[in-house]
């Protein structure tokens, strides 16, 4: 009987801690530094940490030594707002020198890299 009470107490505390962590981890927070397309940075990736195609896009851009900034649209209020204004619809979304690329479109991204 005592074991059951201790187990229930430990389980309850564990669930509470997990809930607090998940609530804080998923909160959309204001950005400390804006990530915008500008003269110095014409490429913006809108993605999410869980997105496999976003990771492939990161790797593709890195393989071509492309400088870009990235918004995690689930953690950045500003990033989400920009993502929606560009048509949203799924991640990754890449703003490449004014052109919007929806999804992981390797040929289009490579074409943009070669013609920038």
């Amino acid at each position: 009987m005592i074991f059951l009470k201790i187990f229930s107490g430990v389980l309850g505390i564990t669930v509470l801690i997990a809930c607090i962590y998940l609530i804080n981890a998923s909160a959309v927070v204001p950005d400390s530094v804006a990530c915008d397309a500008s003269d110095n940075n014409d490429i913006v990736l809108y993605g999410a940490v869980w997105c496999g195609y976003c990771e492939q896009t990161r790797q593709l851009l890195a393989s071509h030594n492309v400088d870009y900034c990235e918004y995690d649209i689930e953690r950045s209020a500003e990033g989400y707002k920009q993502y929606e204004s560009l048509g949203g619809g799924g991640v990754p979304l890449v703003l490449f020198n004014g052109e919007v690329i929806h999804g992981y479109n390797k040929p289009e991204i490579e074409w943009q890299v070669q013609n920038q």
Side-chain angles (χ1 to χ4, degrees):
M1 187 68 163
I2 293 176
F3 173 76
L4 187 57
K5 287 182 180 182
I6 292 172
F7 178 76
S8 295
V10 170
L11 182 61
I13 290 171
T14 304
V15 169
L16 178 63
I17 291 170
C19 289
I20 291 169
Y21 173 77
L22 290 173
I23 289 169
N24 288 333
S26 65
V28 174
V29 295
D31 301 301
S32 57
V33 177
C35 168
D36 267 324
S38 66
D39 292 336
N40 298 328
N41 192 7
D42 295 328
I43 303 159
V44 182
L45 170 62
Y46 301 89
V49 294
W50 52 263
C51 171
Y53 285 117
C54 298
E55 181 58 31
Q56 288 183 351
T57 302
R58 288 181 202 102
Q59 291 174 3
L60 180 60
L61 293 172
S63 73
H64 290 286
N65 297 315
V66 173
D67 290 328
Y68 68 96
C69 67
E70 180 175 357
Y71 278 118
D72 181 333
I73 64 164
E74 294 180 333
R75 295 178 180 253
S76 166
E78 178 61 27
Y80 183 75
K81 182 174 129 185
Q82 290 180 26
Y83 164 81
E84 285 291 309
S85 74
L86 294 168
V91 290
L93 185 144
V94 184
L95 180 62
F96 208 116
N97 298 320
E99 295 290 321
V100 177
I101 302 171
H102 293 272
Y104 178 67
N105 187 335
K106 185 177 179 180
E108 179 66 20
I109 294 169
E110 288 180 332
W111 186 87
Q112 289 288 347
V113 167
Q114 292 169 355
N115 293 295
Q116 67 175 341

